[in-house]
PDB file of all heavy atoms in Angstrom:
ATOM      1  N   VAL A   1       4.152  15.565  13.158  1.00  0.00           N
ATOM      2  CA  VAL A   1       4.800  14.916  12.017  1.00  0.00           C
ATOM      3  C   VAL A   1       4.945  13.420  12.270  1.00  0.00           C
ATOM      4  O   VAL A   1       4.717  12.594  11.380  1.00  0.00           O
ATOM      5  CB  VAL A   1       6.175  15.574  11.753  1.00  0.00           C
ATOM      6  CG1 VAL A   1       6.946  14.804  10.706  1.00  0.00           C
ATOM      7  CG2 VAL A   1       5.988  16.992  11.306  1.00  0.00           C
ATOM      8  N   ILE A   2       5.325  13.038  13.487  1.00  0.00           N
ATOM      9  CA  ILE A   2       5.498  11.623  13.815  1.00  0.00           C
ATOM     10  C   ILE A   2       4.175  10.891  13.702  1.00  0.00           C
ATOM     11  O   ILE A   2       4.069   9.779  13.201  1.00  0.00           O
ATOM     12  CB  ILE A   2       6.136  11.462  15.215  1.00  0.00           C
ATOM     13  CG1 ILE A   2       7.548  12.007  15.204  1.00  0.00           C
ATOM     14  CG2 ILE A   2       6.134  10.005  15.645  1.00  0.00           C
ATOM     15  CD1 ILE A   2       8.211  12.025  16.574  1.00  0.00           C
ATOM     16  N   VAL A   3       3.105  11.499  14.203  1.00  0.00           N
ATOM     17  CA  VAL A   3       1.804  10.872  14.185  1.00  0.00           C
ATOM     18  C   VAL A   3       1.337  10.628  12.750  1.00  0.00           C
ATOM     19  O   VAL A   3       0.845   9.557  12.387  1.00  0.00           O
ATOM     20  CB  VAL A   3       0.768  11.705  14.962  1.00  0.00           C
ATOM     21  CG1 VAL A   3      -0.648  11.154  14.748  1.00  0.00           C
ATOM     22  CG2 VAL A   3       1.109  11.691  16.429  1.00  0.00           C
ATOM     23  N   VAL A   4       1.492  11.645  11.888  1.00  0.00           N
ATOM     24  CA  VAL A   4       1.039  11.504  10.499  1.00  0.00           C
ATOM     25  C   VAL A   4       1.857  10.441   9.785  1.00  0.00           C
ATOM     26  O   VAL A   4       1.294   9.575   9.037  1.00  0.00           O
ATOM     27  CB  VAL A   4       1.168  12.844   9.757  1.00  0.00           C
ATOM     28  CG1 VAL A   4       0.867  12.678   8.265  1.00  0.00           C
ATOM     29  CG2 VAL A   4       0.200  13.850  10.372  1.00  0.00           C
ATOM     30  N   GLY A   5       3.176  10.406  10.015  1.00  0.00           N
ATOM     31  CA  GLY A   5       4.012   9.381   9.384  1.00  0.00           C
ATOM     32  C   GLY A   5       3.646   7.977   9.829  1.00  0.00           C
ATOM     33  O   GLY A   5       3.634   7.036   9.080  1.00  0.00           O
ATOM     34  N   ALA A   6       3.322   7.831  11.133  1.00  0.00           N
ATOM     35  CA  ALA A   6       2.953   6.510  11.644  1.00  0.00           C
ATOM     36  C   ALA A   6       1.679   6.002  10.993  1.00  0.00           C
ATOM     37  O   ALA A   6       1.558   4.821  10.663  1.00  0.00           O
ATOM     38  CB  ALA A   6       2.807   6.577  13.163  1.00  0.00           C
ATOM     39  N   VAL A   7       0.694   6.927  10.855  1.00  0.00           N
ATOM     40  CA  VAL A   7      -0.562   6.467  10.256  1.00  0.00           C
ATOM     41  C   VAL A   7      -0.332   6.034   8.802  1.00  0.00           C
ATOM     42  O   VAL A   7      -0.893   5.012   8.345  1.00  0.00           O
ATOM     43  CB  VAL A   7      -1.585   7.624  10.335  1.00  0.00           C
ATOM     44  CG1 VAL A   7      -2.853   7.274   9.515  1.00  0.00           C
ATOM     45  CG2 VAL A   7      -1.962   7.935  11.773  1.00  0.00           C
ATOM     46  N   ARG A   8       0.495   6.751   8.005  1.00  0.00           N
ATOM     47  CA  ARG A   8       0.726   6.362   6.630  1.00  0.00           C
ATOM     48  C   ARG A   8       1.481   5.046   6.559  1.00  0.00           C
ATOM     49  O   ARG A   8       1.238   4.217   5.690  1.00  0.00           O
ATOM     50  CB  ARG A   8       1.536   7.462   5.924  1.00  0.00           C
ATOM     51  CG  ARG A   8       0.758   8.784   5.818  1.00  0.00           C
ATOM     52  CD  ARG A   8       1.466   9.755   4.949  1.00  0.00           C
ATOM     53  NE  ARG A   8       1.577   9.249   3.571  1.00  0.00           N
ATOM     54  CZ  ARG A   8       2.194   9.870   2.595  1.00  0.00           C
ATOM     55  NH1 ARG A   8       2.739  11.067   2.832  1.00  0.00           N
ATOM     56  NH2 ARG A   8       2.239   9.353   1.401  1.00  0.00           N
ATOM     57  N   LEU A   9       2.420   4.798   7.451  1.00  0.00           N
ATOM     58  CA  LEU A   9       3.125   3.506   7.442  1.00  0.00           C
ATOM     59  C   LEU A   9       2.192   2.358   7.817  1.00  0.00           C
ATOM     60  O   LEU A   9       2.261   1.288   7.239  1.00  0.00           O
ATOM     61  CB  LEU A   9       4.311   3.566   8.427  1.00  0.00           C
ATOM     62  CG  LEU A   9       5.460   4.481   8.021  1.00  0.00           C
ATOM     63  CD1 LEU A   9       6.514   4.515   9.101  1.00  0.00           C
ATOM     64  CD2 LEU A   9       6.093   3.961   6.713  1.00  0.00           C
ATOM     65  N   LEU A  10       1.316   2.601   8.783  1.00  0.00           N
ATOM     66  CA  LEU A  10       0.390   1.534   9.164  1.00  0.00           C
ATOM     67  C   LEU A  10      -0.579   1.224   8.026  1.00  0.00           C
ATOM     68  O   LEU A  10      -0.995   0.091   7.868  1.00  0.00           O
ATOM     69  CB  LEU A  10      -0.393   2.005  10.404  1.00  0.00           C
ATOM     70  CG  LEU A  10       0.379   1.989  11.738  1.00  0.00           C
ATOM     71  CD1 LEU A  10      -0.416   2.628  12.813  1.00  0.00           C
ATOM     72  CD2 LEU A  10       0.837   0.573  12.126  1.00  0.00           C
ATOM     73  N   ALA A  11      -0.908   2.245   7.250  1.00  0.00           N
ATOM     74  CA  ALA A  11      -1.851   1.994   6.162  1.00  0.00           C
ATOM     75  C   ALA A  11      -1.266   1.085   5.108  1.00  0.00           C
ATOM     76  O   ALA A  11      -2.017   0.468   4.326  1.00  0.00           O
ATOM     77  CB  ALA A  11      -2.258   3.337   5.527  1.00  0.00           C
ATOM     78  N   HIS A  12       0.080   0.961   5.041  1.00  0.00           N
ATOM     79  CA  HIS A  12       0.701   0.105   4.021  1.00  0.00           C
ATOM     80  C   HIS A  12       0.756  -1.364   4.406  1.00  0.00           C
ATOM     81  O   HIS A  12       1.052  -2.225   3.634  1.00  0.00           O
ATOM     82  CB  HIS A  12       2.153   0.597   3.804  1.00  0.00           C
ATOM     83  CG  HIS A  12       2.695   0.168   2.456  1.00  0.00           C
ATOM     84  ND1 HIS A  12       2.312   0.767   1.277  1.00  0.00           N
ATOM     85  CD2 HIS A  12       3.591  -0.778   2.130  1.00  0.00           C
ATOM     86  CE1 HIS A  12       2.925   0.205   0.262  1.00  0.00           C
ATOM     87  NE2 HIS A  12       3.712  -0.726   0.737  1.00  0.00           N
ATOM     88  N   GLU A  13       0.416  -1.649   5.695  1.00  0.00           N
ATOM     89  CA  GLU A  13       0.497  -3.035   6.128  1.00  0.00           C
ATOM     90  C   GLU A  13      -0.605  -3.875   5.470  1.00  0.00           C
ATOM     91  O   GLU A  13      -1.754  -3.508   5.411  1.00  0.00           O
ATOM     92  CB  GLU A  13       0.333  -3.057   7.657  1.00  0.00           C
ATOM     93  CG  GLU A  13       0.510  -4.459   8.244  1.00  0.00           C
ATOM     94  CD  GLU A  13       0.480  -4.413   9.751  1.00  0.00           C
ATOM     95  OE1 GLU A  13       0.425  -3.324  10.326  1.00  0.00           O
ATOM     96  OE2 GLU A  13       0.479  -5.500  10.349  1.00  0.00           O
ATOM     97  N   GLY A  14      -0.179  -5.024   4.915  1.00  0.00           N
ATOM     98  CA  GLY A  14      -1.094  -5.930   4.264  1.00  0.00           C
ATOM     99  C   GLY A  14      -1.477  -5.500   2.856  1.00  0.00           C
ATOM    100  O   GLY A  14      -2.332  -6.115   2.234  1.00  0.00           O
ATOM    101  N   HIS A  15      -0.857  -4.427   2.356  1.00  0.00           N
ATOM    102  CA  HIS A  15      -1.207  -3.897   1.012  1.00  0.00           C
ATOM    103  C   HIS A  15      -0.628  -4.825  -0.053  1.00  0.00           C
ATOM    104  O   HIS A  15       0.547  -5.171  -0.014  1.00  0.00           O
ATOM    105  CB  HIS A  15      -0.622  -2.506   0.882  1.00  0.00           C
ATOM    106  CG  HIS A  15      -1.143  -1.753  -0.320  1.00  0.00           C
ATOM    107  ND1 HIS A  15      -2.459  -1.664  -0.607  1.00  0.00           N
ATOM    108  CD2 HIS A  15      -0.456  -1.087  -1.277  1.00  0.00           C
ATOM    109  CE1 HIS A  15      -2.578  -0.936  -1.709  1.00  0.00           C
ATOM    110  NE2 HIS A  15      -1.384  -0.587  -2.133  1.00  0.00           N
ATOM    111  N   ASP A  16      -1.418  -5.211  -1.064  1.00  0.00           N
ATOM    112  CA  ASP A  16      -0.952  -6.202  -2.039  1.00  0.00           C
ATOM    113  C   ASP A  16      -0.969  -5.656  -3.478  1.00  0.00           C
ATOM    114  O   ASP A  16      -0.937  -6.435  -4.427  1.00  0.00           O
ATOM    115  CB  ASP A  16      -1.832  -7.460  -1.988  1.00  0.00           C
ATOM    116  CG  ASP A  16      -3.272  -7.169  -2.275  1.00  0.00           C
ATOM    117  OD1 ASP A  16      -3.630  -5.982  -2.341  1.00  0.00           O
ATOM    118  OD2 ASP A  16      -4.008  -8.147  -2.489  1.00  0.00           O
ATOM    119  N   HIS A  17      -1.033  -4.360  -3.675  1.00  0.00           N
ATOM    120  CA  HIS A  17      -0.954  -3.710  -4.995  1.00  0.00           C
ATOM    121  C   HIS A  17      -1.954  -4.319  -5.957  1.00  0.00           C
ATOM    122  O   HIS A  17      -1.601  -4.958  -6.945  1.00  0.00           O
ATOM    123  CB  HIS A  17       0.475  -3.856  -5.590  1.00  0.00           C
ATOM    124  CG  HIS A  17       1.524  -3.247  -4.712  1.00  0.00           C
ATOM    125  ND1 HIS A  17       1.707  -1.902  -4.609  1.00  0.00           N
ATOM    126  CD2 HIS A  17       2.428  -3.833  -3.881  1.00  0.00           C
ATOM    127  CE1 HIS A  17       2.726  -1.633  -3.762  1.00  0.00           C
ATOM    128  NE2 HIS A  17       3.166  -2.801  -3.309  1.00  0.00           N
ATOM    129  N   PRO A  18      -3.233  -4.132  -5.705  1.00  0.00           N
ATOM    130  CA  PRO A  18      -4.215  -4.758  -6.583  1.00  0.00           C
ATOM    131  C   PRO A  18      -4.158  -4.228  -7.995  1.00  0.00           C
ATOM    132  O   PRO A  18      -4.435  -4.921  -8.945  1.00  0.00           O
ATOM    133  CB  PRO A  18      -5.566  -4.430  -5.912  1.00  0.00           C
ATOM    134  CG  PRO A  18      -5.309  -3.215  -5.074  1.00  0.00           C
ATOM    135  CD  PRO A  18      -3.877  -3.352  -4.615  1.00  0.00           C
ATOM    136  N   ASP A  19      -3.793  -2.942  -8.177  1.00  0.00           N
ATOM    137  CA  ASP A  19      -3.702  -2.393  -9.512  1.00  0.00           C
ATOM    138  C   ASP A  19      -2.626  -3.045 -10.343  1.00  0.00           C
ATOM    139  O   ASP A  19      -2.808  -3.269 -11.546  1.00  0.00           O
ATOM    140  CB  ASP A  19      -3.474  -0.876  -9.444  1.00  0.00           C
ATOM    141  CG  ASP A  19      -4.663  -0.116  -8.816  1.00  0.00           C
ATOM    142  OD1 ASP A  19      -5.760  -0.687  -8.866  1.00  0.00           O
ATOM    143  OD2 ASP A  19      -4.461   0.999  -8.281  1.00  0.00           O
ATOM    144  N   GLU A  20      -1.512  -3.345  -9.683  1.00  0.00           N
ATOM    145  CA  GLU A  20      -0.421  -4.006 -10.410  1.00  0.00           C
ATOM    146  C   GLU A  20      -0.857  -5.400 -10.843  1.00  0.00           C
ATOM    147  O   GLU A  20      -0.503  -5.899 -11.899  1.00  0.00           O
ATOM    148  CB  GLU A  20       0.828  -4.066  -9.552  1.00  0.00           C
ATOM    149  CG  GLU A  20       1.409  -2.663  -9.256  1.00  0.00           C
ATOM    150  CD  GLU A  20       2.638  -2.785  -8.380  1.00  0.00           C
ATOM    151  OE1 GLU A  20       3.093  -3.919  -8.164  1.00  0.00           O
ATOM    152  OE2 GLU A  20       3.149  -1.744  -7.929  1.00  0.00           O
ATOM    153  N   ALA A  21      -1.591  -6.084  -9.977  1.00  0.00           N
ATOM    154  CA  ALA A  21      -2.043  -7.437 -10.322  1.00  0.00           C
ATOM    155  C   ALA A  21      -2.955  -7.429 -11.547  1.00  0.00           C
ATOM    156  O   ALA A  21      -2.922  -8.315 -12.380  1.00  0.00           O
ATOM    157  CB  ALA A  21      -2.749  -8.082  -9.136  1.00  0.00           C
ATOM    158  N   LYS A  22      -3.782  -6.355 -11.603  1.00  0.00           N
ATOM    159  CA  LYS A  22      -4.673  -6.291 -12.750  1.00  0.00           C
ATOM    160  C   LYS A  22      -3.908  -6.103 -14.047  1.00  0.00           C
ATOM    161  O   LYS A  22      -4.366  -6.533 -15.117  1.00  0.00           O
ATOM    162  CB  LYS A  22      -5.659  -5.133 -12.574  1.00  0.00           C
ATOM    163  CG  LYS A  22      -6.654  -5.366 -11.438  1.00  0.00           C
ATOM    164  CD  LYS A  22      -7.584  -4.140 -11.312  1.00  0.00           C
ATOM    165  CE  LYS A  22      -8.564  -4.356 -10.160  1.00  0.00           C
ATOM    166  NZ  LYS A  22      -9.447  -3.183  -9.975  1.00  0.00           N
ATOM    167  N   GLY A  23      -2.749  -5.448 -13.989  1.00  0.00           N
ATOM    168  CA  GLY A  23      -1.990  -5.204 -15.199  1.00  0.00           C
ATOM    169  C   GLY A  23      -0.991  -6.281 -15.555  1.00  0.00           C
ATOM    170  O   GLY A  23      -0.290  -6.171 -16.542  1.00  0.00           O
ATOM    171  N   SER A  24      -0.865  -7.324 -14.739  1.00  0.00           N
ATOM    172  CA  SER A  24       0.118  -8.383 -15.018  1.00  0.00           C
ATOM    173  C   SER A  24      -0.320  -9.229 -16.186  1.00  0.00           C
ATOM    174  O   SER A  24      -1.512  -9.409 -16.429  1.00  0.00           O
ATOM    175  CB  SER A  24       0.298  -9.245 -13.772  1.00  0.00           C
ATOM    176  OG  SER A  24      -0.884  -9.937 -13.498  1.00  0.00           O
ATOM    177  N   PRO A  25       0.662  -9.776 -16.935  1.00  0.00           N
ATOM    178  CA  PRO A  25       0.288 -10.621 -18.058  1.00  0.00           C
ATOM    179  C   PRO A  25      -0.549 -11.826 -17.644  1.00  0.00           C
ATOM    180  O   PRO A  25      -1.393 -12.296 -18.401  1.00  0.00           O
ATOM    181  CB  PRO A  25       1.638 -11.051 -18.603  1.00  0.00           C
ATOM    182  CG  PRO A  25       2.596  -9.997 -18.169  1.00  0.00           C
ATOM    183  CD  PRO A  25       2.072  -9.547 -16.845  1.00  0.00           C
ATOM    184  N   ALA A  26      -0.366 -12.326 -16.433  1.00  0.00           N
ATOM    185  CA  ALA A  26      -1.089 -13.491 -16.020  1.00  0.00           C
ATOM    186  C   ALA A  26      -2.592 -13.184 -15.860  1.00  0.00           C
ATOM    187  O   ALA A  26      -3.423 -14.053 -15.962  1.00  0.00           O
ATOM    188  CB  ALA A  26      -0.542 -14.025 -14.667  1.00  0.00           C
ATOM    189  N   ALA A  27      -2.883 -11.884 -15.592  1.00  0.00           N
ATOM    190  CA  ALA A  27      -4.283 -11.523 -15.385  1.00  0.00           C
ATOM    191  C   ALA A  27      -4.985 -11.210 -16.699  1.00  0.00           C
ATOM    192  O   ALA A  27      -6.174 -10.927 -16.705  1.00  0.00           O
ATOM    193  CB  ALA A  27      -4.374 -10.292 -14.461  1.00  0.00           C
TER     194      ALA A  27
END
């Protein structure tokens, strides 16, 4: 359980929500 949780947390590092940026009014 600890290993799986660590991998998922590491995957979030540097994530910038590209889908949200596409839906912003500025885009």
Side-chain angles (χ1 to χ4, degrees):
V1 172
I2 294 175
V3 170
V4 173
V7 172
R8 295 189 63 181
L9 290 175
L10 287 171
H12 203 73
E13 185 175 353
H15 192 50
D16 61 348
H17 301 286
D19 294 336
E20 296 179 7
K22 292 180 182 178
S24 66

